[in-house]
Amino acid sequence: MTVDSLLHALSEDTAYCKCIASIREFPRKEAEYGECPLHPSLASYLSRRGILLYTHQAAAVKAAGNGENVILTTSTASGKTLAFLLPVFEKLEQDPSATALFIYPTKALANDQLKAVQELEKETGIVVAPAIYDGDTPRDKRPGIRKSSRIIL
């Protein structure tokens, strides 16, 4: 079943048609890309992966790099994680005493994001020793995480 046929069927179904206020189709928009200066290991990571930064990612990375507060709201799978990880890794590379705290609303999301942080650490060589620190973190692991992890989720 195509999206068009599903929408048509729903709009014709008496159980659903009164719940549909409007059906609109938006034309496809081509991606727009931007650039921003990055530490060579981060730029190399993006290049090896064939990743081009979208304009919203490049703008967010630049703003964060300039010390500005950034709020980025965009759809799922549009690059929010990379948009905040790049400036954090940039700062951690520049300042050996810097640390970062990432707060997530669910344990599942924290675990998912940990994988992204670990991948970026491995691929760039920027050592951050990421770890999850929450109510399930064993008490004997907590001091080590506080002492050595530069990114705590």
Side-chain angles (χ1 to χ4, degrees):
M1 176 176 271
T2 66
V3 171
D4 287 336
S5 63
L6 172 64
L7 291 174
H8 179 73
L10 290 174
S11 65
E12 297 292 319
D13 188 313
T14 57
Y16 295 103
C17 68
K18 292 179 183 166
C19 299
I20 299 172
S22 170
I23 296 176
R24 297 184 299 168
E25 184 175 329
F26 295 92
R28 177 185 170 155
K29 182 180 175 187
E30 291 298 320
E32 296 178 19
Y33 300 101
E35 294 184 12
C36 61
L38 290 170
H39 185 274
S41 63
L42 294 167
S44 177
Y45 165 76
L46 295 176
S47 178
R48 284 192 314 274
R49 292 291 180 117
I51 297 172
L52 299 174
L53 295 179
Y54 294 116
T55 52
H56 68 275
Q57 290 173 303
V61 170
K62 284 180 193 174
N66 290 333
E68 297 175 40
N69 294 320
V70 177
I71 296 175
L72 182 60
T73 57
T74 185
S75 60
T76 300
S78 61
K80 291 182 294 290
T81 299
L82 195 56
F84 77 79
L85 283 181
L86 290 174
V88 168
F89 268 75
E90 186 90 20
K91 181 65 174 178
L92 294 175
E93 178 63 18
Q94 293 168 356
D95 181 355
S97 67
T99 59
L101 174 65
F102 298 159
I103 300 173
Y104 296 100
T106 65
K107 291 176 187 277
L109 183 55
N111 282 298
D112 184 58
Q113 294 294 299
L114 176 63
K115 292 174 191 170
V117 173
Q118 289 170 328
E119 177 187 324
L120 198 53
E121 177 186 44
K122 178 183 173 189
E123 294 288 327
T124 64
I126 299 171
V127 179
V128 297
I132 291 178
Y133 192 110
D134 62 19
D136 292 335
T137 303
R139 293 217 181 271
D140 62 324
K141 302 265 189 226
R142 294 177 183 194
I145 292 171
R146 288 193 303 264
K147 182 177 180 181
S148 63
S149 294
R150 298 184 67 208
I151 294 181
I152 297 177
L153 300 89

